[in-house]
């Protein structure tokens, strides 16, 4: 991570420095509890808590420099005195200072930057890209979903100086947000996993979503490379008028010929997938420790990024076999009554939920199945139709029992009924506690061998259902 003096930090931000100007700072935190020694702590105002209230706590935990907003102290009396060997930097805006410092370190770092966005699969694809590129390079990546105006600069400021390739995830809720993130991260390679219907609530049309996602490609330098899904209609359409170098990936013929292509997918082990991959004259047998067609597509995107940096397919496939994922994504856990839980609780939209249902059906291999599905957010005018489409998929796949959680998720049940799903196999519930109670009864009745999918949007906290249904054993491999 960076090693600056407090004085240099003040010069970059044009702030007012109090305390020891020569003290060295290493890394960056937004939570005072994460201080380990030497960090700069940003005292940012928030909806629930104000970081200014934790300035002394940050110093006590080991932070070297506190960056706070000057306006906070105007009506609050005296500015806090920095302890000996510590410093306080006052700026107009903590968020703007965070972003400006990240811009500065991004340039000083000199690493190549790969940025990933899309309606589905951003975090998984980021993890896969890191696994592929780590075969040849010193790689650093965004932690979990640090993909917004705070998380992205935080990631950059904590990037080690020996990093050769930095992988940044970029999220968005509206037009201009990815452009702003690109202004900080300055990507050399851009990956769009797909352009779906998430964020319709704010952007209203899929065309505007495509415009917002494409800000990543527009921000690339002329010599930059765009990695695109050949099966995604919006990406193919936008690419037709773009002048960057483009690499397409896919599993089917798609809408345009794929430069890197996967085929012959087959389940392997509890949650793994074997497949063939081809790029120009290279052909490799690949294994991914994840199930589902959509995850293989993300793996192809990662291998395509690898080719940009001259990582061979053989090296890239080795990286995929060693993949380590961010938490709460397709975790296989032992359930009560000798059952198996697929806990995919990080987030949800119609496409990802349908994909996870197919994984449930595929991996259960004829055993009994239960889907516990929560609400999906940010679908706007497509909320009703999106939930009902998921219900239709439940019916088409013949899932054994359906438990819905929350008012919006009632439309999953409605969609399932409209598609001919038996009413006596549906349980529409309001709370997680009710879902756990019904699920426990069903698992007792269904008995050993039953497979359960648990999924919903992040705000539903579906992991609490997982924790109540799993046996007290380690995560399954």
């Amino acid at each position: 991570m960076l090693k600056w003096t407090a004085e240099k930090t003040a010069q970059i931000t044009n702030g007012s420095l109090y305390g020891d100007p020569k003290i060295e700072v290493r890394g960056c935190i937004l939570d005072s509890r994460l201080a380990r020694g030497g960090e700069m702590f940003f005292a940012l105002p928030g909806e629930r808590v104000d970081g200014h209230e934790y300035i002394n706590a940050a110093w006590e935990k080991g932070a070297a420099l506190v960056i706070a907003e000057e306006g906070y102290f105007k009506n609050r009396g005296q500015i806090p005195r920095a302890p000996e060997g510590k410093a306080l930097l006052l700026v107009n805006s903590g968020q703007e200072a965070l972003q400006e410092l990240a811009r500065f370190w991004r340039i000083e770092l000199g690493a190549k930057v790969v940025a990933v966005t899309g309606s589905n699969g951003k975090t998984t694809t980021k993890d896969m890209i890191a696994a592929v590129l780590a075969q040849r390079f010193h790689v650093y990546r965004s932690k979990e979903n640090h993909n917004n105006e705070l998380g992205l600069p935080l990631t950059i400021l904590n990037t080690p100086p020996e990093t050769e390739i930095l992988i940044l995830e970029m999220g968005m809720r509206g037009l201009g947000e990815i452009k702003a993130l690109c202004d900080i991260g300055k990507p050399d390679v851009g990956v769009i996993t797909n352009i779906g219907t998430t964020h319709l609530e704010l952007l209203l049309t899929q065309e505007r979503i495509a415009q917002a996602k494409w800000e990543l490609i527009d921000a690339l330098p002329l010599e930059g490379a765009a990695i695109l899904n050949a099966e995604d209609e919006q990406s193919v359409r936008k690419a037709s008028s773009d002048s960057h170098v483009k690499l397409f990936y896919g599993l089917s013929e798609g809408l345009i010929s794929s430069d890197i292509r996967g085929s012959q997918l087959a389940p392997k082990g509890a949650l793994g997938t074997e497949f063939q991959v081809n790029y120009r004259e290279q052909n490799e047998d690949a294994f991914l420790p994840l199930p589902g067609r959509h995850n293989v597509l993300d793996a192809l995107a990662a291998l395509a990024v690898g080719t940009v940096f001259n990582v061979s397919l053989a090296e890239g496939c080795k990286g995929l076999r060693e993949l380590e994922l961010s938490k709460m994504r397709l975790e296989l856990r032992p359930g009560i009554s000798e059952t198996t839980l697929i806990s995919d609780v990080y987030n949800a939209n119609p496409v990802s939920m349908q994909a996870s249902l197919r994984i449930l059906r595929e991996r259960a291999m004829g055993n009994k199945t239960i889907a516990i599905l929560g609400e999906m957010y940010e679908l706007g005018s497509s909320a009703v139709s999106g939930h009902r489409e998921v219900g239709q998929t439940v019916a088409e796949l013949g899932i054994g029992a359906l438990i819905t959680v929350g008012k919006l998720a009632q439309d999953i049940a409605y969609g399932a009924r409209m598609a001919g799903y038996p009413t006596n196999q549906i349980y529409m519930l309001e709370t997680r506690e009710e879902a756990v109670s019904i699920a426990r009864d069903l698992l007792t009745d269904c008995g050993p061998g039953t497979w359960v999918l648990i999924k919903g949007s992040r705000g539903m906290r579906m992991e609490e259902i997982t924790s109540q249904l799993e046996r007290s054993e380690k995560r399954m491999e």
Side-chain angles (χ1 to χ4, degrees):
M1 60 189 68
L2 63 83
K3 289 185 179 180
W4 289 338
T5 62
E7 186 175 38
K8 180 174 180 177
T9 306
Q11 291 170 350
I12 296 170
T13 59
N14 196 30
S16 301
L17 185 64
Y18 302 84
D20 186 350
K22 301 302 180 184
I23 189 171
E24 193 175 77
V25 294
R26 302 183 302 277
C28 168
I29 55 172
L30 305 184
D31 185 336
S32 63
R33 295 169 295 183
L34 299 179
R36 297 294 179 268
E39 301 90 352
M40 52 181 164
F41 166 65
F42 281 83
L44 299 178
E47 292 181 4
R48 297 179 181 177
V49 296
D50 193 323
H52 292 87
E53 297 174 5
Y54 298 92
I55 289 176
N56 288 320
W59 277 325
E60 289 171 4
K61 289 282 288 184
L65 172 66
V66 168
I67 299 177
E69 296 187 354
E70 192 169 19
Y72 177 85
F73 299 104
K74 282 186 176 179
N75 300 317
R76 289 176 171 81
Q78 190 174 3
I79 295 172
R81 184 181 180 86
E84 186 177 354
K86 309 278 186 177
L88 172 68
L89 176 60
L90 296 185
V91 296
N92 290 328
S93 165
Q95 180 173 308
E96 290 178 7
L98 173 70
Q99 294 172 352
E100 184 58 31
L101 288 168
R103 288 188 191 94
F104 198 94
W105 180 236
R106 158 66 182 99
I107 295 170
E108 195 170 295
L109 188 63
K112 292 292 185 180
V113 173
V114 177
V116 184
T117 193
S119 297
N120 301 291
K122 292 186 293 295
T123 303
T124 300
T125 303
K126 173 201 68 184
D127 293 339
M128 292 180 181
I129 293 170
V132 168
L133 295 180
Q135 299 304 303
R136 280 202 176 189
F137 301 97
H138 291 291
V139 174
Y140 190 76
R141 56 177 164 161
S142 304
K143 303 298 183 186
E144 299 175 350
N145 71 324
H146 289 177
N147 62 14
N148 61 13
E149 69 279 2
L150 298 180
L152 182 136
L154 176 68
T155 296
I156 294 173
L157 287 171
N158 285 318
T159 302
E162 66 272 15
T163 299
E164 296 172 287
I165 302 178
L166 171 60
I167 306 162
L168 297 174
E169 181 180 332
M170 293 186 175
M172 68 89 192
R173 291 174 57 83
L175 289 170
E177 293 187 5
I178 288 179
K179 182 178 183 298
L181 296 177
C182 288
D183 181 57
I184 300 168
K186 303 187 184 305
D188 301 286
V189 176
V191 181
I192 298 181
T193 59
N194 48 47
I195 300 172
T197 55
T198 305
H199 308 302
L200 271 175
E201 180 180 346
L202 295 173
L203 291 173
L204 303 180
T205 68
Q206 193 166 17
E207 288 72 22
R208 284 170 64 84
I209 294 173
Q211 181 184 347
K213 299 291 186 187
W214 206 260
E215 290 172 0
L216 169 55
I217 309 303
D218 288 337
L220 297 176
L222 292 177
E223 67 278 11
I227 311 299
L228 303 168
N229 186 346
E231 302 179 15
D232 185 69
E233 181 179 356
Q234 293 285 348
S235 295
V236 172
R237 181 179 61 80
K238 295 287 287 184
S240 64
S241 59
D242 188 273
S243 59
H244 289 97
V245 172
K246 295 177 283 289
L247 278 175
F248 288 93
Y249 62 91
L251 288 167
S252 65
E253 288 297 332
L255 304 167
I256 193 169
S257 178
S258 297
D259 297 286
I260 187 164
R261 186 170 178 179
S263 61
Q264 301 180 45
L265 279 64
K268 179 70 173 180
L271 280 182
T273 306
E274 291 180 327
F275 62 101
Q276 291 277 322
V277 60
N278 169 263
Y279 173 67
R280 295 179 180 172
E281 301 303 316
Q282 301 178 57
N283 294 278
E284 288 292 331
D285 296 327
F287 172 77
L288 185 67
L290 283 173
R293 187 180 190 280
H294 63 299
N295 283 315
V296 175
L297 267 175
D298 292 341
L300 293 174
L303 292 170
V305 173
T307 67
V308 174
F309 294 97
N310 297 315
V311 177
S312 69
L313 283 191
E315 291 172 313
C317 290
K318 179 178 182 293
L320 291 177
R321 285 194 295 272
E322 302 166 352
L323 176 67
E324 293 183 5
L325 283 176
S326 297
K327 296 178 180 179
M328 297 194 292
R329 298 173 188 275
L330 281 171
E331 295 178 325
L332 199 64
R333 295 181 177 273
I336 58 175
S337 302
E338 302 298 319
T339 60
T340 301
L341 311 179
I342 300 177
S343 183
D344 191 16
V345 298
Y346 181 76
N347 216 340
N349 56 48
V351 172
S352 67
M353 196 171 272
Q354 288 169 302
S356 294
L357 285 165
R358 293 187 182 98
I359 290 169
L360 172 65
R361 180 72 278 168
E362 173 191 277
R363 299 301 161 131
M365 299 180 65
N367 289 317
K368 295 178 181 178
T369 52
I370 300 171
I372 306 176
L373 307 179
E375 297 176 334
M376 297 178 286
Y377 301 147
E378 298 182 357
L379 298 181
S381 60
S382 294
V384 171
S385 62
H387 284 83
R388 291 183 180 181
E389 286 168 10
V390 169
Q392 182 177 347
T393 300
V394 170
E396 290 172 352
L397 293 174
I399 302 301
L402 169 63
I403 298 173
T404 66
V405 187
K407 187 174 182 179
L408 291 176
Q410 291 177 5
D411 274 306
I412 297 177
Y414 183 83
R417 285 201 304 268
M418 292 294 290
Y421 192 77
T423 302
N424 64 354
Q425 294 173 214
I426 298 174
Y427 303 84
M428 290 189 295
L429 306 172
E430 290 290 331
T431 67
R432 292 184 298 276
E433 292 76 17
E434 291 173 310
V436 168
S437 178
I438 294 294
R440 283 180 173 273
D441 291 342
L442 288 175
L443 291 177
T444 299
D445 292 340
C446 292
T450 304
W451 283 63
V452 184
L453 170 66
I454 304 163
K455 189 168 179 65
S457 276
R458 188 73 209 92
M460 289 297 296
R461 304 205 306 275
M462 300 293 282
E463 68 273 12
E464 295 180 12
I465 296 178
T466 301
S467 67
Q468 293 297 313
L469 296 181
E470 65 179 324
R471 297 197 303 273
S472 54
E473 299 177 11
K474 292 183 179 179
R475 174 179 170 176
M476 299 170 65
E477 299 297 336

